[in-house]
Amino acid sequence: AAGVIQSPRHLIKEKRETATLKCYPIPRHDTVYWYQQGPGQDPQFLISFYEKMQSDKGSIPDRFSAQQFSDYHSELNMSSLELGDSALYFCASSLVALGEGNSPLHFGNGTRLTVT
Amino acid sequence: LAKTTQPISMDSYEGQEVNITCSHNNIATNDYITWYQQFPSQGPRFIIQGYKTKVTNEVASLFIPADRKSSTLSLPRVSLSDTAVYYCLVGVPTGTASKLTFGTGTRLQVTL
């Protein structure tokens, strides 16, 4: 079965550079979520999109922005990178339109961002 | 959104049944309870979801009491490969509110 695809798997950037992470949700899924997971930490919710519109925002820095495109893929743009941005970034998708809460998140395997 | 509380860690021997309890005192009427498993450097993986009473699938059972203020994930006869972090999430994503928050998960260590 198709899964959530994230690219790239690994990314190395220097401080103050920019980075773009991509997420391709499971076909027909209408909601995309982004999470950040630092070393030894639990995933932190950043932002979500439903039907290409921003749905909810969590602890996403102002230096980060995201969008969902017409083909439902999503991109997380990160500017002025800091050492503390080094983390695993996960994307997840779900089919909210199913309703009744039966819409578990399906996660990709993440992008490991290292800022040097 | 309901905050969840789980034990930080648990240890078990291979072949035993493991029960991980999650407290969610402020669960809302429409909220579902979903459990995820995460291995190092991998994305969380859906295990089981429920609303009330008991749910069972091929890998786990989920017990939810009538007041729904807690839930227990039961893993029968664990193996070494079940060593992972387990998270319970409470909420129901909708089109306008899709913020599902992870709490501090339970690190399960299975040994021989």
Side-chain angles (χ1 to χ4, degrees), chain A residues 95-115:
Chain A
L95 183 55
V96 170
L98 272 180
E100 300 183 356
N102 188 25
S103 52
L105 274 61
H106 297 263
F107 285 82
N109 278 326
T111 292
R112 182 176 294 280
L113 172 67
T114 302
V115 181

Side-chain angles (χ1 to χ4, degrees), chain A residues 81-100:
Chain A
L81 287 170
E82 303 173 356
L83 295 178
D85 296 329
S86 295
L88 265 170
Y89 290 83
F90 292 108
C91 170
S93 71
S94 69
L95 183 55
V96 170
L98 272 180
E100 300 183 356

Side-chain angles (χ1 to χ4, degrees), chain A residues 11 13-20 77-81:
Chain A
L11 189 59
K13 291 285 185 178
E14 295 186 355
K15 282 193 304 184
R16 293 180 289 279
E17 286 192 319
T18 62
T20 297
N77 298 294
M78 310 158 71
S79 63
S80 302
L81 287 170

Side-chain angles (χ1 to χ4, degrees), chain A residues 51-92:
Chain A
E51 283 293 344
K52 294 159 281 185
M53 298 290 290
Q54 182 179 306
S55 176
D56 244 316
K57 249 181 142 176
S59 50
I60 183 168
D62 292 340
R63 300 178 288 108
F64 293 7
S65 65
Q67 56 181 323
Q68 187 178 27
F69 294 86
S70 58
D71 64 352
Y72 290 90
H73 94 272
S74 178
E75 294 184 4
L76 178 65
N77 298 294
M78 310 158 71
S79 63
S80 302
L81 287 170
E82 303 173 356
L83 295 178
D85 296 329
S86 295
L88 265 170
Y89 290 83
F90 292 108
C91 170

Side-chain angles (χ1 to χ4, degrees), chain A residues 31-43:
Chain A
T31 305
V32 166
Y33 313 74
W34 285 96
Y35 289 84
Q36 177 193 57
Q37 187 171 29
Q41 297 182 1
D42 306 302

